[in-house]
């Protein structure tokens, strides 16, 4: 059971699915970068959408294969509306956490600010880009990543050392996936992943983390549109 759980966690870690989808898109002539060297928003949106569908299908398939209910794992017994409302103040808590981490890094370890300009900023060049990117961060960030996190923590609790170990491992992987945005951003993102992971374990529902994660991402877009920085 432990080997099976580990394989399922690895398969649903985003790395295998995104690598396969990215390679497929590139093979059909859709490169991740434009001629100017910037990330291609259409490519990012396409990969994120396909990866979301594939990953959720895999997670649900793995749960059903073991006779488990996706509703029990992702929603639990708490009222759906109450969990959604809870996600709103948790959005503000996530913003405060990210700001505190980045300010601390800026003060005590500025060398960790390894990327001067966040490459995601290049994706927002028009109102259309902003709307499309907003859809991506809600679906791929708020929905996919929290379903993925809940499933992985569920498997860690069952067979891979417990929820605490799961929070550490998944948060390190989550932060590592954002190194493109800089080491400081990766650290902040990893701690945000730990925050949302702890909320899931405490609430036994992924709804509040979904709302918080999606709200955090959307506010990051608003921040960029108003200040020019993410």
């Amino acid at each position: 059971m432990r080997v099976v759980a580990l394989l399922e966690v690895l398969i649903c870690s985003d790395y295998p699915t995104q690598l396969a989808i990215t390679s497929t898109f590139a093979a059909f002539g859709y490169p991740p970068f434009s001629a100017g060297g910037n990330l291609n928003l259409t490519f990012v949106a396409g990969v994120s959408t396909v990866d979301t569908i594939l990953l959720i299908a895999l997670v649900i398939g793995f749960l059903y294969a073991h006779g488990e209910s996706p509703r029990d794992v992702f929603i639990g017994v708490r009222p759906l509306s109450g969990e959604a409302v809870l996600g709103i103040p948790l959005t503000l808590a996530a913003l405060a956490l990210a700001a505190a981490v980045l300010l601390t890094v800026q003060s005590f370890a500025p060398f960790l600010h390894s990327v001067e300009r966040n490459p995601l900023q290049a994706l927002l060049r028009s109102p259309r880009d902003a709307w499309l990117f907003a859809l991506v961060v809600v679906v791929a960030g708020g929905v996919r990543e929290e379903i993925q996190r809940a499933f992985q923590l569920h498997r860690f609790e069952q067979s891979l050392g417990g929820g605490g170990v799961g929070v550490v491992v998944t948060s390190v992987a989550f932060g590592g996936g954002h190194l493109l945005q800089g080491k400081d951003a990766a650290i902040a993102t990893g701690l945000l992943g730990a925050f949302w992971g702890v909320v899931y374990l405490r609430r036994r529902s992924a709804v509040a983390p979904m709302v918080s994660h999606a709200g955090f991402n959307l506010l990051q877009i608003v921040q960029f549109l108003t200040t020019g920085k993410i």
Side-chain angles (χ1 to χ4, degrees), residues 23-142:
S23 299
T24 301
F25 270 52
F28 280 93
Y30 297 97
F33 295 97
S34 65
N38 295 321
L39 281 171
N40 186 325
L41 179 57
T42 303
F43 177 89
V44 171
V47 169
S48 297
T49 301
V50 175
D51 187 47
T52 298
I53 295 170
L54 177 58
L55 191 139
I56 292 176
L58 284 169
V59 165
I60 291 175
F62 287 146
L63 290 173
Y64 277 131
H66 294 285
E68 299 172 287
S69 165
R71 180 181 178 82
D72 291 344
V73 175
F74 302 126
I75 299 177
V77 298
R78 297 178 186 269
L80 189 64
S81 58
E83 292 302 295
V85 170
L86 176 62
I88 297 173
L90 290 180
T91 299
L92 301 179
L95 284 170
L97 173 61
V101 172
L102 292 176
L103 285 174
T104 301
V105 168
Q106 182 180 350
S107 299
F108 298 101
F111 60 89
L112 291 174
H113 184 62
S114 55
V115 174
E116 190 60 35
R117 177 179 171 83
N118 191 321
L120 296 182
Q121 294 181 24
L123 297 176
L124 302 174
R125 294 185 293 270
S126 69
R128 172 190 170 276
D129 292 344
W131 282 109
L132 181 57
F133 193 54
L135 179 63
V136 169
V137 299
V138 168
V139 174

